[in-house]
Amino acid sequence: MKQHAQMERTPFADLDRQPREMTAMLLAALETMGRHPEIRRVRRTGMDAFRPAPGWRVLDAGSGAGDVARWIAGEVGPDGEVVALDYSAATIAAAIERHDGSNVRYTTGDVSAIDLPADSVDGVWCERVLQHVDDADLAIAELVRVTRPGGRICLIDTDWSSLAFDGVPPRLARTVVADMHGRLTPRQVDMGRTLRRRLVGKGLRDVSATPVTCLFADPASAAVVLPMVNPRVPEEAWMTAPGVRGKWFSHVEEAGARGDFLAVLTIWAVTGTVG
Ligand SMILES: C[S@@+](CC[C@H](N)C(=O)[O-])C[C@H]1O[C@@H](n2cnc3c(N)ncnc32)[C@H](O)[C@@H]1O
């Protein structure tokens, strides 16, 4: 059973409880994000360190629309298998709709209580999920439990506290970012940088941690990944003081028109070997 602590939770923590239009918007956003060159760079960095081998059985924990699960299925080949697990039934249904015939099995489940035996997979991929769970260490313990000794774990997560802007008024940018934490961006704003410590703490070997600093040099590109630059995020989700949102977007647009808008965000790819 998933834990429901008394903390503010992001929509991604429980997509099935969102209004249907919100879930559809977030799933579409996930797919668009997956095509963004900076997110592709993050994933490539993670995959190069993860190195899934032909024949491996891999768990993609918190698999979203399943695009990475299908990519890994190509890496492990016909003798391998990928289990794509997500808490949200709507998300798993969307992933199944996108299935391409590769060796992926889709299932609903909670990363904090995985319905798989110990030592049953050769590798685990868990991307931008731990920032949304109540207890990341509990979830990581589960990922370690299901991975056989010698198997590999790849965790990818955002460091929202690294987010910085230029080309817009600095004080306004600070207000907007602070107001977003715990609402559209997760309350756990530094998950990315904590992953290395968490894997070392679980006794993993060969832990490698790579910070990938993503650059967004225009508002349209930034809007794909950063909710506070996305005008399609509904106004009621903002919860900032009246007038802040309008002022912010007019500055963002002006910076875009001048060509000097800039946003940077670090996402970490951290891998290690179990046992
Ligand atoms: C930001 S999305 C990332 C999806 C995918 N890994 C990707 O990178 O595109 C977070 C995903 O984690 C899932 N999720 C959140 N909490 C979960 C939990 N406790 N167990 C399993 N999945 C969870 C959400 O339903 C959502 O699909």
Side-chain angles (χ1 to χ4, degrees), residues 2 12 15 30 43 62 64 86-88 109-111 127-129:
K2 190 171 188 179
F12 278 121
L15 281 170
L30 272 186
R43 286 180 172 170
D86 201 282
Y87 185 67
S88 156
D110 186 349
V111 69
E127 177 181 344
R128 292 177 295 150
V129 178

Side-chain angles (χ1 to χ4, degrees), residues 10 131 160 163 177 180-187 189 227-228:
T10 56
Q131 60 184 292
W160 284 106
L163 177 60
V177 169
M180 284 305 216
H181 288 330
R183 296 191 171 104
L184 281 181
T185 60
R187 197 179 180 83
V189 290
M228 66 290 288

Side-chain angles (χ1 to χ4, degrees), residues 160-211:
W160 284 106
S161 53
S162 72
L163 177 60
F165 291 95
D166 193 40
V168 288
R171 184 180 294 192
L172 180 60
R174 278 198 297 275
T175 302
V176 166
V177 169
D179 282 356
M180 284 305 216
H181 288 330
R183 296 191 171 104
L184 281 181
T185 60
R187 197 179 180 83
Q188 175 74 53
V189 290
D190 59 356
M191 181 54 72
R193 81 184 64 167
T194 71
L195 296 177
R196 181 178 179 280
R197 167 172 55 79
R198 292 175 195 271
L199 285 191
V200 168
K202 291 280 184 287
L204 268 72
R205 301 183 272 119
D206 309 324
V207 176
S208 83
T210 308

Side-chain angles (χ1 to χ4, degrees), residues 58-101:
V58 175
L59 169 68
D60 182 358
S63 49
D67 41 345
V68 171
R70 291 183 287 273
W71 179 18
I72 297 172
E75 301 287 311
V76 300
D79 295 333
E81 184 195 27
V82 180
V83 178
L85 174 144
D86 201 282
Y87 185 67
S88 156
T91 301
I92 286 296
I96 290 171
E97 270 173 31
R98 288 154 179 77
H99 186 53
D100 61 358

Side-chain angles (χ1 to χ4, degrees), residues 142-165:
E142 274 295 88
L143 302 180
V144 173
R145 181 185 67 80
V146 300
T147 307
R148 64 158 167 85
R152 302 273 293 157
I153 291 185
C154 177
L155 306 179
I156 291 184
D157 237 300
T158 317
D159 219 56
W160 284 106
S161 53
S162 72
L163 177 60
F165 291 95

